[in-house]
Amino acid sequence: MTSETYRNPILDADWSDPDVVRVGDDFYLTASSFGRAPGLPLLHSRDLVNWTLVGHALERLEPAAEFGRPRHDCGVWAPSLRYHDERFWIFWGDPDQGVFQINAPEIRGPWTRPHLLKAGKGLIDPCPLWDEETGEAYLVHAWAKSRSGVKNRLTGHRMRPDGTGLLDEGKVIVDGDRIPGWFTLEGPKLYRHDGWFWILAPAGGVETGWQGAFRSRGFFGPYEERIVLEQKDTDVNGPHQGGWVRTPSGEDWFLHFQQRGAYGRVVHLQPMRWGPGGTSRSSEAESGGGWPVLGDDGAPVAEHRRPALPPQPPAAPATDDDFPGGRYGRQWQWTANPGDGWATQHSGDGLRLTCVRSADAHDLRKLPHVLTQRLPGTPCAAEVELRLDSDEPGARAGLAVLGDAFGWIGLQRGTDGTVHLVHRFAEGVAERERDAAHPRVAPEGRARLRIEIGAGARCRFSADVGDGDGFRPSGPVFTATPWRWVGALLGLFALAPAGQGHAGTAAFTRFRISAS
């Protein structure tokens, strides 16, 4: 890679289901956040290659009571980000509730409270369009079979221009069952270009599918289709679901995700042009003008010339944190809506987490008070310093790799008052954790904890308890796993068994992720 080129993925972590918009010289991206809070991450770039996390649009998930506990694969699915009438708009589908919308005058807010635009089960992946030529507004969405019994079709509505309601009952505008070879059509993004309505939508499943394009002279169809991006002979499986953006000079680019197991859905940037190309699955598709051509004639690129935009310094979403004043950075999210007093602000550095009492202390997957960030997609080591400030027997705190299976290393107060280094794990089918290594004494009640994450998301745990031996490995290698739709997470937590009264705190300092 040279200074004139970039290499994919441009966001090598779980920024699932990305969508992008340009406003002036700035590009903004949002992604699925599922059941974590705050939700709807907001990223900013000036060159489409270097991105920083500038905030979140959704402080808490609603209804709040439903998301007071972890619902890892629920919540915010596949948002669409748009700019209209001098406001930013985000539409998303909650598969259990329906289509929501929020908006704001600036990307950093203030964002409105979620407005339920269309209630119903299985309504996912919504995208609005304001037709600047006619003043009409539209909405398209897909379906989740797990909730509705329906999939592989896109439904369209006319929408109130103010985004507060729909003007009809909706109509199926693309039925994937009628297109030979197509299945699991979802993730539509709606555009107007060159006199056509365009829907860019993937099909075929996130790990093995392709990116499609549909066009029609009228919003309600009929649509003709082409495959415009597929794996071909590359190692980019299932290039899938994303958004089209045009630079001020008129260059076209497409951002999409690739499913990478425990690493989640990483983001790629593809060059885009208009002209002959794509794979036709319809005789009608041979008529008319140009079609989008993505990547290298329909195959994902690994390296490519950078967009013709002003050079920018290297940047990426933050990972490291010194927790100044006890505050955690934007990269952290709770596994459910946060509760009062989970983290305490103070005058120094370091994160003070309350040892929250829970009847589910044996299973991190059930705890809402785990503070998480995305697992990096390249080999690295995560490290943090921990001090357990609790005299409560059974109180514990640590550093975790969290997914359908989980592993963690940390400190626990014993019934005899001694603090031990413990290392535990649970398989995906296990209902509770068990020891991954023999506990050993941490004489000062402190430890430096480390997880080295190698190829294939294989994790090696180690710790330094201040006994002069330095870092010592702990337990066997643990392979991180995702949840169904969510990549594995790194997490910090403090907890105590169920009981009465305050159970103390744990102090975390100097969280670092370094390349291996």
Side-chain angles (χ1 to χ4, degrees):
M1 186 173 66
T2 69
S3 60
E4 288 79 35
T5 63
Y6 70 91
R7 180 172 291 278
N8 278 316
I10 55 166
L11 288 167
D12 200 359
D14 188 26
W15 302 95
S16 178
D17 313 313
D19 195 24
V20 63
V21 68
R22 178 178 67 86
V23 180
D25 294 326
D26 298 286
F27 300 92
Y28 300 100
L29 181 148
T30 191
S32 295
S33 51
F34 299 97
R36 303 193 301 277
L40 288 171
L42 302 168
L43 286 78
H44 170 254
S45 177
R46 284 288 184 91
D47 64 1
L48 289 172
V49 174
N50 295 284
W51 293 86
T52 57
L53 179 63
V54 298
H56 290 82
L58 188 64
E59 183 177 352
R60 301 174 70 87
L61 291 95
E62 296 189 6
E66 289 291 318
F67 290 96
R69 56 184 175 82
R71 302 179 66 203
H72 300 291
D73 293 319
C74 302
V76 177
W77 283 21
S80 292
L81 174 62
R82 293 293 181 265
Y83 188 76
H84 167 71
D85 197 23
E86 298 185 347
R87 297 186 72 85
F88 290 90
W89 301 76
I90 300 178
F91 288 65
W92 76 91
D94 180 316
D96 300 302
Q97 298 186 71
V99 174
F100 285 94
Q101 169 263 106
I102 57 175
N103 58 86
E106 305 288 343
I107 195 69
R108 291 173 174 83
W111 289 87
T112 59
R113 287 193 60 177
H115 171 71
L116 185 59
L117 183 67
K118 180 182 180 182
K121 296 281 189 180
L123 309 180
I124 58 169
D125 308 349
C127 184
L129 171 70
W130 287 271
D131 189 336
E132 303 297 341
E133 296 179 10
T134 65
E136 297 282 315
Y138 304 94
L139 181 83
V140 63
H141 69 80
W143 295 85
K145 188 174 182 178
S146 60
R147 272 66 164 192
S148 65
V150 174
K151 72 169 187 175
N152 205 32
R153 64 186 64 172
L154 307 179
T155 294
H157 292 269
R158 293 178 61 241
M159 183 177 72
R160 290 173 56 97
D162 63 3
T164 60
L166 302 176
L167 298 176
D168 55 38
E169 294 299 312
K171 175 186 175 183
V172 175
I173 58 176
V174 179
D175 186 346
D177 290 346
R178 295 180 178 271
I179 307 173
W182 284 57
F183 60 96
T184 318
L185 175 63
E186 57 188 351
K189 295 293 183 281
L190 182 59
Y191 306 95
R192 198 85 159 93
H193 172 68
D194 196 27
W196 299 84
F197 287 90
W198 290 91
I199 298 174
L200 301 182
V206 295
E207 294 185 352
T208 58
W210 57 87
Q211 179 67 38
F214 299 82
R215 71 178 186 183
S216 174
R217 291 296 186 185
F219 171 70
F220 288 102
Y223 282 85
E224 44 189 315
E225 86 287 338
R226 283 194 177 184
I227 294 175
V228 294
L229 188 69
E230 54 188 326
Q231 181 171 356
K232 296 189 176 180
D233 60 355
T234 74
D235 60 0
V236 181
N237 58 295
H240 213 74
Q241 189 169 334
W244 162 41
V245 68
R246 175 166 285 177
T247 70
S249 65
E251 283 188 349
D252 293 314
W253 297 86
F254 185 76
L255 291 94
H256 68 91
F257 77 75
Q258 174 198 9
Q259 174 70 35
R260 289 192 58 219
Y263 301 112
R265 300 173 178 183
V266 303
V267 179
H268 292 238
L269 176 66
Q270 301 296 338
M272 175 174 166
R273 61 182 173 83
W274 294 85
T279 302
S280 172
R281 294 291 179 93
S282 164
S283 60
E284 292 180 309
E286 299 303 323
S287 63
W291 286 78
V293 182
L294 305 183
D296 181 8
D297 198 22
V301 299
E303 185 175 337
H304 194 269
R305 173 189 58 81
R306 286 174 175 264
L309 292 163
Q312 301 295 319
T319 55
D320 296 354
D321 206 343
D322 287 318
F323 309 107
R327 293 178 294 273
Y328 48 86
R330 297 186 183 101
Q331 65 268 36
W332 298 97
Q333 296 170 289
W334 299 100
T335 46
N337 282 335
D340 294 335
W342 288 357
T344 304
Q345 295 187 12
H346 54 91
S347 58
D349 288 349
L351 177 69
R352 291 183 185 171
L353 293 184
T354 299
C355 292
V356 177
R357 292 187 180 276
S358 174
D360 292 318
H362 58 279
D363 191 342
L364 298 186
R365 295 165 296 199
K366 297 181 179 180
L367 301 180
H369 54 277
V370 182
L371 193 61
T372 68
Q373 63 169 281
R374 292 161 179 82
L375 188 75
T378 54
C380 65
E383 188 175 319
V384 71
E385 298 176 11
L386 168 63
R387 184 183 73 241
L388 183 61
D389 297 323
S390 172
D391 295 326
E392 179 76 14
R396 70 203 72 159
L399 171 66
V401 175
L402 191 62
D404 188 49
F406 68 86
W408 67 273
I409 191 167
L411 298 176
Q412 178 170 320
R413 179 73 66 176
T415 55
D416 61 356
T418 304
V419 175
H420 288 89
L421 178 81
V422 295
H423 177 193
R424 301 203 174 108
F425 79 103
E427 304 156 272
V429 295
E431 296 182 357
R432 60 187 308 118
E433 66 188 23
R434 56 194 180 97
D435 286 330
H438 295 291
R440 56 191 176 100
V441 174
E444 303 298 325
R446 300 168 179 261
R448 286 195 297 159
L449 311 172
R450 179 186 290 168
I451 303 175
E452 297 177 29
I453 306 156
R458 292 187 293 273
C459 302
R460 293 184 180 273
F461 293 75
S462 60
D464 177 357
V465 296
D467 57 4
D469 289 340
F471 276 100
R472 288 170 53 186
S474 179
V477 171
F478 171 82
T479 301
T481 63
W483 282 286
R484 187 175 183 187
W485 308 126
V486 182
L489 301 164
L490 292 170
L492 304 176
F493 70 92
L495 62 90
Q500 299 296 316
H502 184 62
T505 62
F508 294 88
T509 53
R510 285 187 52 79
F511 181 89
R512 296 288 186 270
I513 293 180
S514 58
S516 294

